[in-house]
Amino acid sequence: MPQDRQVTIITVANRAGVSKTTASDALRGSGRVSEETRRLVTDVAAELGYVPNGSARHLRRARTGTIGLHLPEVLPRSDYYMSFVFGAVQAAADHGYDVTLLTSGSGAGATAERRPRVDGLVLGDPLAADPVVEKLMSSQLPTVTCERYPGPGDPDGIVWSDHGAALRELLDHLAAVGTLRPALIVPGDESDWAASVHRTYRQWCTERGVVPLTRAVPFDANADATSTVARNLLTDEPGLDALIAAPTSAAATLLPVIREAGRRVGDDLLLASCVDGPAMRFADPAITAIDVQPREAGAACAELLFELLAGAVAPGVERLHPIELNIRESTRRRNAP
Amino acid sequence: MPQDRQVTIITVANRAGVSKTTASDALRGSGRVSEETRRLVTDVAAELGYVPNGSARHLRRARTGTIGLHLPEVLPRSDYYMSFVFGAVQAAADHGYDVTLLTSGSGAGATAERRPRVDGLVLGDPLAADPVVEKLMSSQLPTVTCERYPGPGDPDGIVWSDHGAALRELLDHLAAVGTLRPALIVPGDESDWAASVHRTYRQWCTERGVVPLTRAVPFDANADATSTVARNLLTDEPGLDALIAAPTSAAATLLPVIREAGRRVGDDLLLASCVDGPAMRFADPAITAIDVQPREAGAACAELLFELLAGAVAPGVERLHPIELNIRESTRRRNAP
DNA sequence: TTGAAAGCGCTAACAC
DNA sequence: GTGTTAGCGCTTTCAA
């Protein structure tokens, strides 16, 4: 039964007939009190339904017990970001931390220059142009980014995946089944992910003596915009025999466009994506894609941040997060158009 | 340039030659100090880069300045939940609040029964079976749910949409273009949204003298599971002339299944969804769906919670959130199979 | 093994 | 219009 007054550590101490200090030590298991009193105090605390006051604890310890998480507000890849968030929150919970969400939205609250009340930051896919990211990067707080930050300044930790290597594997696979002219639809270079995909593609083309064929789309391009780009690409370049649509939503929603253009996916036109997701797995035909393991990436970022906060690793760490290519029907074999 | 010692309100007060209180009042603009001193203090604070300590403030005020947000971890509708989250965070930022994410994941952190350090809770789509939701509901914290909570206990505020009325409108529309046997694929009744969709469908069928035809899927059913259910349904019931797949992901990924079954969407089989989203708008053909306005719903939940916290409204409020039916190609006209 | 006391940074009550 | 004082609930010295 809940008391009307808030039950504090003093309530517990009084009820147990010990001092505040002893109660505190007993509850935290600091090994300073006798097993007997410890048991007594914890029992009383449980009975009273005592819950420690986070603000007081963190005021004393000069820490907040919270990390901030910032993500670009991009709906077209939301299953990626959702997974990322849940991964980060899970890892944080395992370490007794809370996660506060920080957005790039600039409401009334943003005017008051409240520095986020957090011990550290995780920035997922930081975009070069994002002013909020820029502000957070210069906040002096320990920061981990997922993928490199293309703007000024360096985070204390980076969790990154070798999208270049995975794309190269994909391109080699496409070449192996007979592709001669693979095209790439990719967001602009404001994100490091897109930039490295773009760069690797150009390098690969140069190495192979293939004429590169790319189209840029906005980072948050919806399916409609991407479809238009693809439609034009198919019209302009009839010699095209493979299409890599980097964003996850893109490839799946391109199927109708491709069909409309009279091409057959997995037959006279191969199709692949740089970001796997449910839509890829269950498309018809299933689409070859790179599984970037977003939930694990989110968790890895949080873990790295905690190690930085604990001083277990020195600032400047980079950690490689494994990803893998999933080959599916859409690129199994190629027939001439 | 940052000082090595943390700059507190005392630093500011000393530097400005005033007392702690005056500094505090000046910085918060409590109208107690003269305009002159206020300016002096704020200037000094800005110069020193003073940032108020949230923990201290909240310890003193006995509030945390944070609300908790819980969502079911359901990837198949992630664009809905992403929008909801960003809406809530935006509204919270406008009121100077932070948002902490609470998951149903049970890690090491969940063992220590830390009560969430928040002033109130927003629960999006609370599921009857979710133990975390149950715990949160009984936490005594001011709580707003999006859609009713099907489990025991009542939240202090509810933001809900009339999914029943929208579905009725959809069913009437289907009947108007000549549908005789509309079927429904819907998650079980653990969420109020699914329950009310289900209930309304049965009522409508009774009123019209139509034999109801439903199939249940798990709340977090992925496209694969839903496809299987749909495939069987199409085989078992060849007389079927319309299909309503309630979950947003479902309808879009059903297109290949339907085509496989030799049916033509928007022609001899009408298709619709109870949750709109990018996948619906850009499907081929575009799919009729109910736009449930998730971003606005998230914001509305947060807003209602703040009103409750401020005592501006009494507990027990219910607020209707408008939604609307978007009719598209997939249900425009019906031809005989 | 335990207690007493100091204080984290801030705001509200009460002076003047 | 401004300063002084007393805490918010907790952890961490320093004594006993």
Side-chain angles (χ1 to χ4, degrees), chain B residues 7 49 93 124 138 145 152 163 167 171 180 182-183 239 263 277 335:
Chain B
V7 13
S138 60
T145 61
H163 300 287
L167 175 59
L171 286 164
L180 299 173
R263 308 293 299 265
N335 298 317

Side-chain angles (χ1 to χ4, degrees), chain B residues 9 20-21 24 50 57 60:
Chain B
I9 204 167
K20 262 171 35 148
T21 312
S24 173
Y50 166 73
R57 173 173 290 179
R60 186 60 242 242

Side-chain angles (χ1 to χ4, degrees), chain A residues 14-86:
Chain A
N14 288 345
R15 183 70 157 265
V18 297
S19 77
K20 256 167 39 146
T21 313
T22 306
S24 173
D25 287 337
L27 289 168
R28 272 172 308 127
S30 63
R32 220 183 73 135
V33 296
S34 72
E35 181 55 28
E36 195 183 4
T37 28
R38 202 193 59 77
R39 179 105 63 197
L40 170 65
V41 172
T42 48
D43 282 356
V44 169
E47 185 192 340
L48 261 44
Y50 167 74
V51 188
N53 179 315
S55 297
R57 172 173 292 176
H58 296 310
L59 171 58
R60 188 61 240 244
R61 291 194 182 154
R63 298 189 309 94
T64 64
T66 302
I67 62 171
L69 174 58
H70 180 273
L71 296 173
E73 185 170 350
V74 173
L75 257 30
R77 275 179 292 288
S78 46
D79 56 322
Y80 170 82
Y81 289 116
M82 269 294 269
S83 302
F84 188 91
V85 167
F86 280 110

